[in-house]
Amino acid sequence: MAGSLGRGAMLAHWLGCALICAFVLAAEGCASLPKEVPRQQSEALADPATTALGRLVAQSSPDPALSGFHVIASGEEAYGTLISLADHATRTLDLQYYLIEADESSREILLHVRAAAERGVRVRVLVDDLHSDDGKDRAFLRFAGHRNIEVRMFNPFPAGRFSKLTRVLSSATDVRRLNRRMHNKAFIADNALAMTGGRNIGDAYFLRAPEQNFVDLDVIAAGPAVRRLSAAFDRYWNNPLAVPVETLANPAQATDSAAATGASSSRPGPALVSTEAESKRIDAQGMTPPGKIDARASFLGRQFAAGGKLALEWASASVMVDAPSKAAPDQAPAAGETMSKELGRTLSGARQEVILISPYFIPGDRGVTWMADLVKRGVKVRVLTNSLAATDAPIVHVGYRRYRRDLLRAGVELHELKSRPGRPQKIIGDYTSSQATLHVKAAVADRTNLFVGSMNFDPRSASQNTETGLIIHSAKLAQQVAQLFAGVIDDNSYLLRLSEQGTVQWVDGRGDQAAVFDTEPDTSWQKRLWIDVLAPFTPEQLL
C-alpha cells in the first residue's frame, strides 16, 4: 500500500543503509547530489485577479484580508476537487506532493493536468524522490516532455535509480540527508484556489483501493492563504534540493512508450500519464472520462456549475510551511521556520478542550508532559490514532505504545481507530469493503481554532520531514471537524483505559454491552510478538 511505503519502508531503508555502511567500505562508489544543475527560477502567478478563478474568488470574498475555506473529508470529494481545479485553471498549476502513486487515480488526475498544459497552462510538479523508483522516472520524464510542464524531484537519490536496492547501495554514505523528506501536500490553481491537507495522490487516498483505504482530511483554500501557499511552493521549487527530473533520469527512458504513457496497461506499474490524444479529448470535453467519478458532482464542481459566488467559510488563518532548509542536515532552519512550534503555541492556549487526530502519534516524554499539564489546567485532551490492526506502518506502533500508559495515567482520553468500520461514515465516503487506516492530521482547540495539514504528531514530522499546515480561526469549521471526530469515536474506534492492575485495555461499545479486550484487538499473536521483538531495536527518531 501507499502508506506502508512511507514509514515502514523508510525505516527499513535506513537500517539497510546502516548495515551497508558497516560492511561495505567502498565509499567512493557512493554518489552525492550533482553540484551544478541547470534550472530556471520561476515564481507563482503574480496577479491571480487576471484569471477567471481569481475574479471568482475576489467577488466571493467579503473582505480581502480573509481567506475562504471548505473542509473535505470524503475521498471521492477530494478526487473530484483536484480534477475541477485542473479543469478550470487558465494560467498556472503547481503540484507539491510527498507521493504520487502509479495507479489509476494518479493517471486520471495527471491526464487532466496534462490537458491543462495543452491549453497553455504552465504546470510545475514537485515530488519527493523517496518513491520514484520502480520505473516512475520514465513516466515523470515523459510527462515533463511537454513544453508547458516541468517536473522536479526533491532531495533526490542521485544514482542507482532503477531499484530500491541500488538506491540504498548508492546512498549509504548520505543517510543523514536522505532521511529528511518533503512531506508537504498542495495543489494550487492560478494562485487563486488550492487544496491542501493530508492526502497524497493515489487510489487509497480517494477510497478507490480494493484492500486498504485512508481516512483523510483536506481543505479547499481561497484568497490570501493561497498566495502564501504559492510563496512557499516557490521557495521549494527554486531550492537547490529541487532537481529537474531530466538531470536524474536517463533521457532514453522517455521513449519507453508503454511504461511511460501507461497506455492500456492492466498490470501495476508507472502508469502516471496517458496518451496525448486522450489528454486532448479530455481537454475538449472538459469532463471526467465515462465510468469514472464525475468531478462535477464534487462541492467545487457544483459551485463552478452554479455560477455566482463560492460558498466558502471566510476566516483569518495562519499558513505554516517548514523552510526547505529543514531537509538539509547541514542547514538548520532559523528560529520560527518550523511549524511545530507555532502549532504548539496555538494548542497550548486552549482553555477547555484539545482534540488531536494523527495516524502516527508518538508524543515523546515532552509531549506527554505537555498534555498532562493541559489536563491539570482543566483542559480535556482527546486523541484519535490508529490501532495496531488499522495502521499501515506497524513498526511505528512500537514508538506510540511506549507512551500509552503514561497518557492514560495523565488523564488523556485515548481512542484507536478500528480496522473495519462499525458504522459507515457518510461524510468520509464509502470504505466499508476494505480496511480503514487513519491518515488525518488535524487538531481542534476549544472548537474555535482548526489545524489541518500534513504534519503528524511525532518526532519525524517535528525534526526530519518538511510539512505544510493551516490554522483556521473559524468556529464553524472547527466544529465540523470535532463532529467528524465524535462520529468516528462513537462506533469506529476503541476507547483505551487502564485496568485495576495498570495494564492497557480496549473498550468497544458502551455500558453493559461493551466488549473489553486485554490485548490489541483484531490482531494475531504473531503480529503482537513481532512488535515485541522490534521494540528494543527501533530508534524512535526514525519512526
Side-chain angles (χ1 to χ4, degrees), residues 377-511:
R377 290 200 283 110
V379 178
K380 190 174 186 179
V381 180
R382 314 173 76 189
V383 176
L384 174 64
T385 190
N386 278 311
S387 65
L388 177 58
T391 185
D392 64 314
I395 197 167
V396 179
H397 200 78
V398 171
Y400 155 65
R401 73 172 195 166
R402 293 170 182 164
Y403 300 100
R404 280 193 301 213
R405 290 183 188 178
D406 290 339
L407 289 168
L408 294 171
R409 290 192 188 104
V412 173
E413 183 183 311
L414 193 55
H415 300 266
E416 293 181 3
L417 186 76
K418 296 177 182 177
S419 62
R420 300 285 174 177
R423 177 171 58 87
Q425 295 288 317
K426 292 182 180 180
I427 191 172
I428 294 172
D430 182 16
Y431 63 91
T432 54
S433 62
S434 64
Q435 178 177 318
T437 294
L438 184 71
H439 204 255
V440 175
K441 296 94 167 161
V444 179
D446 289 341
R447 312 246 170 157
T448 57
N449 294 311
L450 169 65
F451 164 77
V452 176
S454 65
M455 189 187 80
N456 293 288
F457 297 97
D458 67 355
R460 170 165 287 281
S461 285
S463 63
Q464 303 291 322
N465 290 346
T466 66
E467 308 285 358
T468 297
L470 304 174
I471 296 178
I472 306 170
H473 308 295
S474 165
K476 180 179 179 179
L477 297 183
Q479 183 65 25
Q480 285 181 12
V481 175
Q483 289 175 347
L484 173 63
F485 171 85
V488 171
I489 67 172
D490 278 349
D491 293 290
N492 295 330
S493 75
Y494 304 103
L495 173 65
L496 275 63
R497 72 182 189 189
L498 291 176
S499 69
E500 293 182 358
Q501 293 74 35
T503 60
V504 177
Q505 292 181 322
W506 291 257
V507 181
D508 184 10
R510 296 181 179 179

Side-chain angles (χ1 to χ4, degrees), residues 199-344:
R199 286 182 180 88
N200 295 295
I201 294 181
D203 285 346
Y205 300 94
F206 307 122
L207 304 185
R208 303 178 76 185
E211 296 179 358
Q212 184 182 38
N213 283 290
F214 294 111
V215 177
D216 220 323
L217 196 70
D218 288 298
V219 291
I220 296 172
V226 177
R227 293 192 287 276
R228 292 195 286 271
L229 286 171
S230 289
F233 179 93
D234 287 347
R235 289 196 295 273
Y236 278 81
W237 182 259
N238 295 311
N239 189 275
L241 289 175
V243 180
V245 67
E246 296 88 351
T247 301
L248 299 166
N250 180 357
Q253 293 178 326
T255 61
D256 297 344
S257 58
T261 64
S264 304
S265 175
S266 59
R267 62 178 179 80
L272 286 175
V273 292
S274 187
T275 63
E276 183 173 345
E278 191 173 12
S279 175
K280 289 181 178 179
R281 177 179 64 79
I282 295 303
D283 183 40
Q285 294 178 353
M287 59 180 290
T288 303
K292 309 301 181 184
I293 297 173
D294 190 348
R296 295 170 299 182
S298 67
F299 166 82
L300 200 56
R302 295 193 306 271
Q303 295 282 301
F304 288 150
K309 297 181 178 180
L310 294 172
L312 302 174
E313 177 70 11
W314 295 89
S316 61
S318 299
V319 176
M320 304 179 299
V321 183
D322 285 332
S325 58
K326 187 180 176 186
D330 57 343
Q331 301 177 30
E337 288 191 312
T338 58
M339 59 182 286
S340 57
K341 291 184 179 179
E342 184 175 349
L343 177 58

Side-chain angles (χ1 to χ4, degrees), residues 20-241:
I20 291 169
C21 287
F23 294 105
V24 180
L25 300 180
E28 66 274 11
C30 295
S32 58
L33 276 176
K35 300 297 182 184
E36 299 294 331
V37 177
R39 63 162 70 84
Q40 278 193 326
Q41 293 234 342
S42 59
E43 286 75 35
L45 182 65
D47 189 3
T50 60
T51 69
L53 289 182
R55 290 190 293 271
L56 177 60
V57 169
Q59 74 181 30
S60 302
S61 173
D63 184 338
L66 300 179
S67 298
F69 300 100
H70 178 78
V71 171
I72 303 175
S74 161
E76 294 97 333
E77 183 83 11
Y79 172 84
T81 299
L82 296 186
I83 296 292
S84 293
L85 288 172
D87 286 351
H88 288 83
T90 57
R91 296 285 298 280
T92 62
L93 279 172
D94 291 332
L95 284 65
Q96 181 177 13
Y97 283 94
Y98 170 67
L99 172 64
I100 297 178
E101 281 284 21
D103 57 23
E104 191 65 19
S105 294
S106 301
R107 176 179 176 273
E108 291 170 17
I109 290 169
L110 292 185
L111 185 152
H112 285 259
V113 171
R114 194 182 192 285
E118 285 290 310
R119 301 194 303 270
V121 174
R122 184 199 68 183
V123 175
R124 298 185 294 178
V125 179
L126 181 60
V127 187
D128 185 82
D129 194 50
L130 184 64
H131 301 292
S132 63
D133 55 348
D134 298 330
K136 284 186 182 177
D137 273 356
R138 297 192 299 272
F140 283 126
L141 196 59
R142 175 79 174 188
F143 196 54
H146 193 282
R147 65 188 181 281
N148 290 326
I149 298 176
E150 288 184 82
V151 177
R152 294 183 183 179
M153 317 303 290
F154 194 82
N155 202 14
F157 294 77
R161 298 183 60 80
F162 42 87
S163 74
K164 284 185 172 62
L165 177 61
T166 54
R167 284 155 66 101
V168 169
L169 289 170
S170 66
S171 61
T173 60
D174 208 8
V175 172
R176 289 185 67 243
R177 174 179 67 84
L178 293 169
N179 186 40
R180 297 169 183 254
R181 306 312 318 172
M182 185 191 77
H183 199 236
N184 316 53
K185 287 99 175 169
F187 194 111
I188 308 170
D190 287 344
N191 199 9
L193 280 170
M195 189 178 93
T196 186
R199 286 182 180 88
N200 295 295
I201 294 181
D203 285 346
Y205 300 94
F206 307 122
L207 304 185
R208 303 178 76 185
E211 296 179 358
Q212 184 182 38
N213 283 290
F214 294 111
V215 177
D216 220 323
L217 196 70
D218 288 298
V219 291
I220 296 172
V226 177
R227 293 192 287 276
R228 292 195 286 271
L229 286 171
S230 289
F233 179 93
D234 287 347
R235 289 196 295 273
Y236 278 81
W237 182 259
N238 295 311
N239 189 275
L241 289 175

